[in-house]
Amino acid sequence: MSDPYGWVKVVHILAVISWMAGLFYLPRLFVYHAENDGEKEVSGVFMVMERRLLKAIMRPAALVVVVTGAGLVHLGGWDQPMPLWLWLKLVLVAGMLFFHGLLEVHAARFRDDRETRSGRYFRIINEIPTVLLVGIVIFVIIKPF
């Protein structure tokens, strides 16, 4: 393991891909769940899919993203003041974590049969991770500031 920074970055990128897949897919499941017309059997299937996606993929991936991201900051020698682009990226990552938390709330509301939001609402919020991801990638690759 001659390049710890490189290996941490590999794990970080793989975790980001996994987490993003879930952040894109879970709101789509919510669309179908919300438009299900209250069929209990179908709702049960959606609840299982939502729970498994959160528990097996999204939560672990988000945790690995945060831990490896902190590791990259540490290994990158940024014990000095961090550049502005990195601070802005971290703000967008915080937004992504907030969005993940919002999805957790909606999943719990579906589980308790208390969700009142429409499929249209979930279609709209499904765009949030895309916007955040575009900003994150720009800050990381272009480093405009």
Side-chain angles (χ1 to χ4, degrees):
M1 196 151 138
S2 62
D3 180 17
Y5 183 87
W7 283 107
V8 173
K9 187 185 269 189
V10 166
V11 174
H12 183 72
I13 291 169
L14 292 171
V16 167
I17 291 167
S18 298
W19 188 33
M20 292 307 303
L23 290 172
F24 291 142
Y25 186 51
L26 189 57
R28 178 54 50 186
L29 286 176
F30 290 163
V31 168
Y32 301 138
H33 197 158
E35 294 177 350
N36 161 33
D37 294 330
E39 293 182 39
K40 293 292 183 193
E41 191 173 313
V42 176
S43 285
V45 170
F46 282 122
M47 282 188 270
V48 169
M49 293 171 69
E50 293 156 4
R51 186 187 80 244
R52 287 182 180 166
L53 181 58
L54 279 165
K55 189 175 178 179
I57 296 172
M58 292 176 66
R59 290 176 190 155
L63 178 62
V64 172
V65 165
V66 170
V67 169
T68 57
L72 289 170
V73 169
H74 174 72
L75 291 172
W78 291 324
D79 48 346
Q80 300 151 19
M82 290 192 305
L84 180 57
W85 70 264
L86 183 54
W87 282 110
L88 295 172
K89 175 207 174 192
L90 293 175
V91 167
L92 296 179
V93 170
M96 200 75 80
L97 289 165
F98 178 83
F99 182 72
H100 179 129
L102 177 67
L103 296 180
E104 293 271 1
V105 168
H106 285 300
R109 292 180 67 177
F110 274 118
R111 243 188 340 269
D112 298 339
D113 200 27
R114 294 182 300 116
E115 186 55 70
T116 58
R117 300 289 187 157
S118 69
R120 183 172 189 275
Y121 165 82
F122 292 111
R123 279 187 181 85
I124 292 169
I125 70 164
N126 196 33
E127 304 308 319
I128 292 171
T130 302
V131 172
L132 293 171
L133 181 63
V134 166
I136 289 168
V137 170
I138 289 170
F139 288 134
V140 170
I141 303 298
I142 304 298
K143 296 177 177 69
F145 307 104

